[in-house]
Amino acid sequence: MKSTLLFCSLLALSLATYAQEEAEVVKAVDDLTIKWDIEAEKLQTYEGLGSFCGESVYRKEIIGMLDEIHHYDTLLYGIVTRKFADNQDPEAKETLDDIQTLESEYTTKAFRRFIHKECNTYNEIENNLGRAKGPEYEEEVKALEDELKKYVIEVTKQIDLIDEHIHHLHLGED
């Protein structure tokens, strides 16, 4: 009888700890999503790109944020995998697919590769056309901004989708 009671107590404690850890991951993903959405608004502009390219503190902050997003998405992947294994929830399957997309197509390394190319173009525009700031400059800025926006919006869409799934799965709520 004592051992059964002890087992039940340990099981209840383990489940409570797991639920608390799950809630912490959900909160971290929520917070990071909000932070990313704010920074993405800045980052998809020519001026924001200039800040990223020219300010090492800002650049490290953005890269660090992406690393943190990927870290928590990895933890979330484990949580959702267990949920999907338990009940084959279609929402869980969609979440896993979206996490896999983020983790394969929009890695920090892929972001760095893309943004490095954009910074090179930014520097070329500023060095070659920046003084005149005429129609050619405006065209080049617009073209760069359009390309930048497309990419940042896709990354943001993926991050927001995952955050939305969390709430449909009611993770961290018990």
Side-chain angles (χ1 to χ4, degrees), residues 70-105:
H70 287 290
H71 168 74
Y72 279 102
D73 279 347
T74 300
L75 295 176
L76 186 60
Y77 190 84
I79 291 168
V80 177
T81 298
R82 287 188 288 279
K83 183 172 182 78
F84 183 68
D86 289 344
N87 61 16
Q88 302 295 302
D89 182 343
E91 184 77 28
K93 175 70 171 114
E94 285 181 42
T95 306
L96 293 172
D97 291 346
D98 286 331
I99 292 171
Q100 286 175 333
T101 298
L102 183 68
E103 295 302 317
S104 61
E105 294 177 28

mmCIF file of all heavy atoms in Angstrom, residues 70-105:
data_model
loop_
_atom_site.group_PDB
_atom_site.id
_atom_site.type_symbol
_atom_site.label_atom_id
_atom_site.label_comp_id
_atom_site.label_asym_id
_atom_site.label_seq_id
_atom_site.Cartn_x
_atom_site.Cartn_y
_atom_site.Cartn_z
ATOM 1 N N HIS A 70 15.130 29.079 -32.218
ATOM 2 C CA HIS A 70 15.389 27.707 -32.678
ATOM 3 C C HIS A 70 15.568 26.753 -31.499
ATOM 4 O O HIS A 70 15.120 25.607 -31.561
ATOM 5 C CB HIS A 70 16.589 27.670 -33.618
ATOM 6 C CG HIS A 70 16.283 28.245 -34.959
ATOM 7 N ND1 HIS A 70 15.456 27.632 -35.859
ATOM 8 C CD2 HIS A 70 16.687 29.397 -35.547
ATOM 9 C CE1 HIS A 70 15.367 28.371 -36.948
ATOM 10 N NE2 HIS A 70 16.100 29.455 -36.782
ATOM 11 N N HIS A 71 16.195 27.212 -30.433
ATOM 12 C CA HIS A 71 16.355 26.376 -29.234
ATOM 13 C C HIS A 71 14.989 25.978 -28.674
ATOM 14 O O HIS A 71 14.722 24.799 -28.416
ATOM 15 C CB HIS A 71 17.170 27.127 -28.177
ATOM 16 C CG HIS A 71 17.135 26.487 -26.831
ATOM 17 N ND1 HIS A 71 17.827 25.335 -26.534
ATOM 18 C CD2 HIS A 71 16.463 26.828 -25.697
ATOM 19 C CE1 HIS A 71 17.588 24.988 -25.275
ATOM 20 N NE2 HIS A 71 16.767 25.885 -24.747
ATOM 21 N N TYR A 72 14.119 26.956 -28.497
ATOM 22 C CA TYR A 72 12.803 26.658 -27.923
ATOM 23 C C TYR A 72 11.929 25.880 -28.893
ATOM 24 O O TYR A 72 11.097 25.070 -28.462
ATOM 25 C CB TYR A 72 12.115 27.931 -27.426
ATOM 26 C CG TYR A 72 12.648 28.313 -26.073
ATOM 27 C CD1 TYR A 72 13.574 29.337 -25.929
ATOM 28 C CD2 TYR A 72 12.262 27.618 -24.923
ATOM 29 C CE1 TYR A 72 14.097 29.666 -24.685
ATOM 30 C CE2 TYR A 72 12.774 27.944 -23.677
ATOM 31 C CZ TYR A 72 13.687 28.967 -23.569
ATOM 32 O OH TYR A 72 14.205 29.279 -22.342
ATOM 33 N N ASP A 73 12.105 26.086 -30.185
ATOM 34 C CA ASP A 73 11.354 25.276 -31.141
ATOM 35 C C ASP A 73 11.788 23.815 -31.077
ATOM 36 O O ASP A 73 10.974 22.917 -31.258
ATOM 37 C CB ASP A 73 11.506 25.817 -32.555
ATOM 38 C CG ASP A 73 10.585 26.984 -32.822
ATOM 39 O OD1 ASP A 73 9.666 27.222 -32.006
ATOM 40 O OD2 ASP A 73 10.779 27.670 -33.837
ATOM 41 N N THR A 74 13.046 23.577 -30.800
ATOM 42 C CA THR A 74 13.524 22.207 -30.630
ATOM 43 C C THR A 74 12.875 21.578 -29.400
ATOM 44 O O THR A 74 12.425 20.424 -29.444
ATOM 45 C CB THR A 74 15.063 22.183 -30.512
ATOM 46 O OG1 THR A 74 15.615 22.743 -31.708
ATOM 47 C CG2 THR A 74 15.586 20.770 -30.324
ATOM 48 N N LEU A 75 12.819 22.321 -28.300
ATOM 49 C CA LEU A 75 12.146 21.813 -27.100
ATOM 50 C C LEU A 75 10.665 21.584 -27.379
ATOM 51 O O LEU A 75 10.092 20.562 -26.978
ATOM 52 C CB LEU A 75 12.306 22.798 -25.934
ATOM 53 C CG LEU A 75 13.719 23.025 -25.410
ATOM 54 C CD1 LEU A 75 13.714 24.108 -24.333
ATOM 55 C CD2 LEU A 75 14.313 21.735 -24.872
ATOM 56 N N LEU A 76 10.057 22.516 -28.085
ATOM 57 C CA LEU A 76 8.647 22.408 -28.436
ATOM 58 C C LEU A 76 8.408 21.188 -29.326
ATOM 59 O O LEU A 76 7.406 20.486 -29.171
ATOM 60 C CB LEU A 76 8.210 23.685 -29.153
ATOM 61 C CG LEU A 76 6.743 23.836 -29.484
ATOM 62 C CD1 LEU A 76 5.903 23.798 -28.216
ATOM 63 C CD2 LEU A 76 6.515 25.137 -30.231
ATOM 64 N N TYR A 77 9.337 20.916 -30.215
ATOM 65 C CA TYR A 77 9.211 19.756 -31.095
ATOM 66 C C TYR A 77 9.092 18.467 -30.271
ATOM 67 O O TYR A 77 8.268 17.604 -30.573
ATOM 68 C CB TYR A 77 10.414 19.678 -32.040
ATOM 69 C CG TYR A 77 10.249 18.657 -33.131
ATOM 70 C CD1 TYR A 77 9.561 18.984 -34.295
ATOM 71 C CD2 TYR A 77 10.759 17.374 -33.013
ATOM 72 C CE1 TYR A 77 9.392 18.064 -35.307
ATOM 73 C CE2 TYR A 77 10.593 16.440 -34.018
ATOM 74 C CZ TYR A 77 9.912 16.788 -35.164
ATOM 75 O OH TYR A 77 9.732 15.861 -36.163
ATOM 76 N N GLY A 78 9.901 18.359 -29.219
ATOM 77 C CA GLY A 78 9.820 17.185 -28.346
ATOM 78 C C GLY A 78 8.475 17.081 -27.641
ATOM 79 O O GLY A 78 7.884 15.996 -27.557
ATOM 80 N N ILE A 79 7.980 18.196 -27.157
ATOM 81 C CA ILE A 79 6.689 18.217 -26.462
ATOM 82 C C ILE A 79 5.564 17.815 -27.413
ATOM 83 O O ILE A 79 4.724 16.973 -27.094
ATOM 84 C CB ILE A 79 6.418 19.625 -25.871
ATOM 85 C CG1 ILE A 79 7.386 19.924 -24.724
ATOM 86 C CG2 ILE A 79 4.966 19.757 -25.402
ATOM 87 C CD1 ILE A 79 7.400 21.374 -24.277
ATOM 88 N N VAL A 80 5.549 18.403 -28.594
ATOM 89 C CA VAL A 80 4.482 18.138 -29.563
ATOM 90 C C VAL A 80 4.594 16.711 -30.106
ATOM 91 O O VAL A 80 3.575 16.065 -30.345
ATOM 92 C CB VAL A 80 4.482 19.188 -30.699
ATOM 93 C CG1 VAL A 80 3.431 18.868 -31.751
ATOM 94 C CG2 VAL A 80 4.240 20.578 -30.127
ATOM 95 N N THR A 81 5.806 16.214 -30.260
ATOM 96 C CA THR A 81 5.995 14.830 -30.715
ATOM 97 C C THR A 81 5.342 13.861 -29.737
ATOM 98 O O THR A 81 4.652 12.920 -30.148
ATOM 99 C CB THR A 81 7.494 14.505 -30.879
ATOM 100 O OG1 THR A 81 8.035 15.375 -31.879
ATOM 101 C CG2 THR A 81 7.718 13.065 -31.284
ATOM 102 N N ARG A 82 5.544 14.095 -28.449
ATOM 103 C CA ARG A 82 4.913 13.229 -27.435
ATOM 104 C C ARG A 82 3.388 13.348 -27.504
ATOM 105 O O ARG A 82 2.681 12.351 -27.421
ATOM 106 C CB ARG A 82 5.424 13.572 -26.041
ATOM 107 C CG ARG A 82 6.857 13.103 -25.797
ATOM 108 C CD ARG A 82 7.292 13.280 -24.361
ATOM 109 N NE ARG A 82 7.508 14.674 -23.990
ATOM 110 C CZ ARG A 82 8.612 15.372 -24.262
ATOM 111 N NH1 ARG A 82 9.604 14.807 -24.925
ATOM 112 N NH2 ARG A 82 8.734 16.618 -23.882
ATOM 113 N N LYS A 83 2.878 14.553 -27.681
ATOM 114 C CA LYS A 83 1.435 14.754 -27.765
ATOM 115 C C LYS A 83 0.871 14.031 -28.998
ATOM 116 O O LYS A 83 -0.157 13.377 -28.926
ATOM 117 C CB LYS A 83 1.094 16.236 -27.822
ATOM 118 C CG LYS A 83 -0.403 16.519 -27.837
ATOM 119 C CD LYS A 83 -0.686 17.996 -27.699
ATOM 120 C CE LYS A 83 -2.145 18.294 -27.655
ATOM 121 N NZ LYS A 83 -2.800 18.033 -26.389
ATOM 122 N N PHE A 84 1.563 14.153 -30.121
ATOM 123 C CA PHE A 84 1.114 13.502 -31.350
ATOM 124 C C PHE A 84 1.152 11.984 -31.199
ATOM 125 O O PHE A 84 0.242 11.288 -31.660
ATOM 126 C CB PHE A 84 1.969 13.947 -32.536
ATOM 127 C CG PHE A 84 1.514 13.380 -33.843
ATOM 128 C CD1 PHE A 84 0.308 13.771 -34.406
ATOM 129 C CD2 PHE A 84 2.285 12.449 -34.527
ATOM 130 C CE1 PHE A 84 -0.123 13.254 -35.621
ATOM 131 C CE2 PHE A 84 1.870 11.927 -35.737
ATOM 132 C CZ PHE A 84 0.664 12.326 -36.283
ATOM 133 N N ALA A 85 2.173 11.468 -30.544
ATOM 134 C CA ALA A 85 2.281 10.023 -30.334
ATOM 135 C C ALA A 85 1.126 9.509 -29.474
ATOM 136 O O ALA A 85 0.644 8.394 -29.682
ATOM 137 C CB ALA A 85 3.617 9.684 -29.680
ATOM 138 N N ASP A 86 0.666 10.343 -28.540
ATOM 139 C CA ASP A 86 -0.422 9.934 -27.641
ATOM 140 C C ASP A 86 -1.770 9.884 -28.344
ATOM 141 O O ASP A 86 -2.565 8.986 -28.100
ATOM 142 C CB ASP A 86 -0.540 10.895 -26.445
ATOM 143 C CG ASP A 86 0.617 10.761 -25.468
ATOM 144 O OD1 ASP A 86 1.334 9.740 -25.548
ATOM 145 O OD2 ASP A 86 0.788 11.678 -24.642
ATOM 146 N N ASN A 87 -2.054 10.856 -29.221
ATOM 147 C CA ASN A 87 -3.424 10.922 -29.741
ATOM 148 C C ASN A 87 -3.541 11.235 -31.242
ATOM 149 O O ASN A 87 -4.642 11.470 -31.719
ATOM 150 C CB ASN A 87 -4.247 11.931 -28.935
ATOM 151 C CG ASN A 87 -3.681 13.333 -29.028
ATOM 152 O OD1 ASN A 87 -2.868 13.633 -29.891
ATOM 153 N ND2 ASN A 87 -4.128 14.194 -28.133
ATOM 154 N N GLN A 88 -2.438 11.291 -31.967
ATOM 155 C CA GLN A 88 -2.459 11.546 -33.419
ATOM 156 C C GLN A 88 -3.257 12.805 -33.784
ATOM 157 O O GLN A 88 -3.909 12.865 -34.823
ATOM 158 C CB GLN A 88 -3.018 10.332 -34.175
ATOM 159 C CG GLN A 88 -2.255 9.044 -33.946
ATOM 160 C CD GLN A 88 -0.839 9.107 -34.491
ATOM 161 O OE1 GLN A 88 -0.654 9.353 -35.666
ATOM 162 N NE2 GLN A 88 0.142 8.885 -33.656
ATOM 163 N N ASP A 89 -3.186 13.817 -32.935
ATOM 164 C CA ASP A 89 -3.889 15.087 -33.133
ATOM 165 C C ASP A 89 -3.410 15.750 -34.429
ATOM 166 O O ASP A 89 -2.213 15.988 -34.596
ATOM 167 C CB ASP A 89 -3.610 15.986 -31.918
ATOM 168 C CG ASP A 89 -4.310 17.321 -31.964
ATOM 169 O OD1 ASP A 89 -4.764 17.729 -33.052
ATOM 170 O OD2 ASP A 89 -4.394 17.967 -30.907
ATOM 171 N N PRO A 90 -4.318 16.055 -35.369
ATOM 172 C CA PRO A 90 -3.913 16.693 -36.628
ATOM 173 C C PRO A 90 -3.236 18.055 -36.414
ATOM 174 O O PRO A 90 -2.341 18.430 -37.168
ATOM 175 C CB PRO A 90 -5.217 16.864 -37.406
ATOM 176 C CG PRO A 90 -6.237 16.043 -36.710
ATOM 177 C CD PRO A 90 -5.754 15.768 -35.337
ATOM 178 N N GLU A 91 -3.671 18.790 -35.398
ATOM 179 C CA GLU A 91 -3.048 20.087 -35.089
ATOM 180 C C GLU A 91 -1.594 19.887 -34.670
ATOM 181 O O GLU A 91 -0.716 20.667 -35.036
ATOM 182 C CB GLU A 91 -3.829 20.817 -33.994
ATOM 183 C CG GLU A 91 -3.316 22.197 -33.686
ATOM 184 C CD GLU A 91 -3.712 23.258 -34.697
ATOM 185 O OE1 GLU A 91 -4.764 23.129 -35.341
ATOM 186 O OE2 GLU A 91 -2.959 24.243 -34.851
ATOM 187 N N ALA A 92 -1.348 18.815 -33.920
ATOM 188 C CA ALA A 92 0.022 18.507 -33.506
ATOM 189 C C ALA A 92 0.869 18.175 -34.733
ATOM 190 O O ALA A 92 2.019 18.609 -34.838
ATOM 191 C CB ALA A 92 0.038 17.352 -32.503
ATOM 192 N N LYS A 93 0.310 17.438 -35.671
ATOM 193 C CA LYS A 93 1.030 17.089 -36.902
ATOM 194 C C LYS A 93 1.376 18.353 -37.696
ATOM 195 O O LYS A 93 2.506 18.505 -38.171
ATOM 196 C CB LYS A 93 0.162 16.140 -37.753
ATOM 197 C CG LYS A 93 0.758 15.808 -39.105
ATOM 198 C CD LYS A 93 1.983 14.934 -39.002
ATOM 199 C CE LYS A 93 2.417 14.442 -40.361
ATOM 200 N NZ LYS A 93 3.697 14.951 -40.786
ATOM 201 N N GLU A 94 0.432 19.282 -37.811
ATOM 202 C CA GLU A 94 0.698 20.549 -38.509
ATOM 203 C C GLU A 94 1.798 21.335 -37.800
ATOM 204 O O GLU A 94 2.649 21.950 -38.450
ATOM 205 C CB GLU A 94 -0.572 21.400 -38.574
ATOM 206 C CG GLU A 94 -1.589 20.918 -39.573
ATOM 207 C CD GLU A 94 -2.808 21.824 -39.610
ATOM 208 O OE1 GLU A 94 -2.639 23.064 -39.570
ATOM 209 O OE2 GLU A 94 -3.927 21.284 -39.681
ATOM 210 N N THR A 95 1.752 21.309 -36.487
ATOM 211 C CA THR A 95 2.771 22.014 -35.704
ATOM 212 C C THR A 95 4.144 21.418 -35.972
ATOM 213 O O THR A 95 5.112 22.155 -36.197
ATOM 214 C CB THR A 95 2.449 21.935 -34.188
ATOM 215 O OG1 THR A 95 1.129 22.418 -33.971
ATOM 216 C CG2 THR A 95 3.440 22.751 -33.372
ATOM 217 N N LEU A 96 4.230 20.098 -35.950
ATOM 218 C CA LEU A 96 5.507 19.428 -36.224
ATOM 219 C C LEU A 96 6.012 19.785 -37.618
ATOM 220 O O LEU A 96 7.200 20.068 -37.799
ATOM 221 C CB LEU A 96 5.359 17.913 -36.072
ATOM 222 C CG LEU A 96 5.098 17.413 -34.652
ATOM 223 C CD1 LEU A 96 4.773 15.924 -34.664
ATOM 224 C CD2 LEU A 96 6.271 17.711 -33.739
ATOM 225 N N ASP A 97 5.118 19.799 -38.602
ATOM 226 C CA ASP A 97 5.507 20.160 -39.970
ATOM 227 C C ASP A 97 6.036 21.594 -40.037
ATOM 228 O O ASP A 97 7.034 21.866 -40.702
ATOM 229 C CB ASP A 97 4.327 19.995 -40.934
ATOM 230 C CG ASP A 97 3.927 18.544 -41.146
ATOM 231 O OD1 ASP A 97 4.709 17.633 -40.772
ATOM 232 O OD2 ASP A 97 2.818 18.318 -41.682
ATOM 233 N N ASP A 98 5.358 22.509 -39.338
ATOM 234 C CA ASP A 98 5.790 23.910 -39.354
ATOM 235 C C ASP A 98 7.115 24.104 -38.625
ATOM 236 O O ASP A 98 7.945 24.910 -39.051
ATOM 237 C CB ASP A 98 4.700 24.824 -38.776
ATOM 238 C CG ASP A 98 3.546 25.008 -39.745
ATOM 239 O OD1 ASP A 98 3.783 24.929 -40.970
ATOM 240 O OD2 ASP A 98 2.407 25.223 -39.285
ATOM 241 N N ILE A 99 7.317 23.373 -37.545
ATOM 242 C CA ILE A 99 8.605 23.452 -36.847
ATOM 243 C C ILE A 99 9.706 22.913 -37.757
ATOM 244 O O ILE A 99 10.782 23.509 -37.856
ATOM 245 C CB ILE A 99 8.572 22.692 -35.501
ATOM 246 C CG1 ILE A 99 7.646 23.403 -34.503
ATOM 247 C CG2 ILE A 99 9.984 22.578 -34.909
ATOM 248 C CD1 ILE A 99 7.382 22.617 -33.224
ATOM 249 N N GLN A 100 9.439 21.812 -38.443
ATOM 250 C CA GLN A 100 10.438 21.250 -39.357
ATOM 251 C C GLN A 100 10.771 22.237 -40.475
ATOM 252 O O GLN A 100 11.938 22.354 -40.865
ATOM 253 C CB GLN A 100 9.945 19.923 -39.938
ATOM 254 C CG GLN A 100 9.999 18.795 -38.936
ATOM 255 C CD GLN A 100 9.400 17.505 -39.473
ATOM 256 O OE1 GLN A 100 8.531 17.516 -40.338
ATOM 257 N NE2 GLN A 100 9.859 16.393 -38.934
ATOM 258 N N THR A 101 9.784 22.947 -40.971
ATOM 259 C CA THR A 101 10.039 23.955 -42.012
ATOM 260 C C THR A 101 10.949 25.045 -41.474
ATOM 261 O O THR A 101 11.935 25.422 -42.118
ATOM 262 C CB THR A 101 8.710 24.561 -42.520
ATOM 263 O OG1 THR A 101 7.930 23.522 -43.107
ATOM 264 C CG2 THR A 101 8.963 25.662 -43.538
ATOM 265 N N LEU A 102 10.630 25.549 -40.291
ATOM 266 C CA LEU A 102 11.464 26.596 -39.696
ATOM 267 C C LEU A 102 12.878 26.089 -39.464
ATOM 268 O O LEU A 102 13.854 26.789 -39.741
ATOM 269 C CB LEU A 102 10.854 27.088 -38.377
ATOM 270 C CG LEU A 102 11.599 28.240 -37.695
ATOM 271 C CD1 LEU A 102 11.491 29.515 -38.518
ATOM 272 C CD2 LEU A 102 11.072 28.465 -36.296
ATOM 273 N N GLU A 103 12.989 24.870 -38.964
ATOM 274 C CA GLU A 103 14.297 24.319 -38.607
ATOM 275 C C GLU A 103 15.111 23.860 -39.815
ATOM 276 O O GLU A 103 16.304 23.607 -39.688
ATOM 277 C CB GLU A 103 14.137 23.164 -37.612
ATOM 278 C CG GLU A 103 13.579 23.585 -36.265
ATOM 279 C CD GLU A 103 14.421 24.642 -35.569
ATOM 280 O OE1 GLU A 103 15.659 24.534 -35.565
ATOM 281 O OE2 GLU A 103 13.829 25.608 -35.043
ATOM 282 N N SER A 104 14.482 23.744 -40.973
ATOM 283 C CA SER A 104 15.250 23.326 -42.150
ATOM 284 C C SER A 104 15.431 24.464 -43.162
ATOM 285 O O SER A 104 16.513 24.635 -43.713
ATOM 286 C CB SER A 104 14.592 22.119 -42.824
ATOM 287 O OG SER A 104 13.291 22.442 -43.265
ATOM 288 N N GLU A 105 14.395 25.257 -43.391
ATOM 289 C CA GLU A 105 14.473 26.304 -44.413
ATOM 290 C C GLU A 105 14.884 27.664 -43.853
ATOM 291 O O GLU A 105 15.393 28.498 -44.600
ATOM 292 C CB GLU A 105 13.121 26.434 -45.115
ATOM 293 C CG GLU A 105 12.756 25.200 -45.916
ATOM 294 C CD GLU A 105 11.388 25.300 -46.557
ATOM 295 O OE1 GLU A 105 10.940 26.426 -46.858
ATOM 296 O OE2 GLU A 105 10.776 24.244 -46.755
#
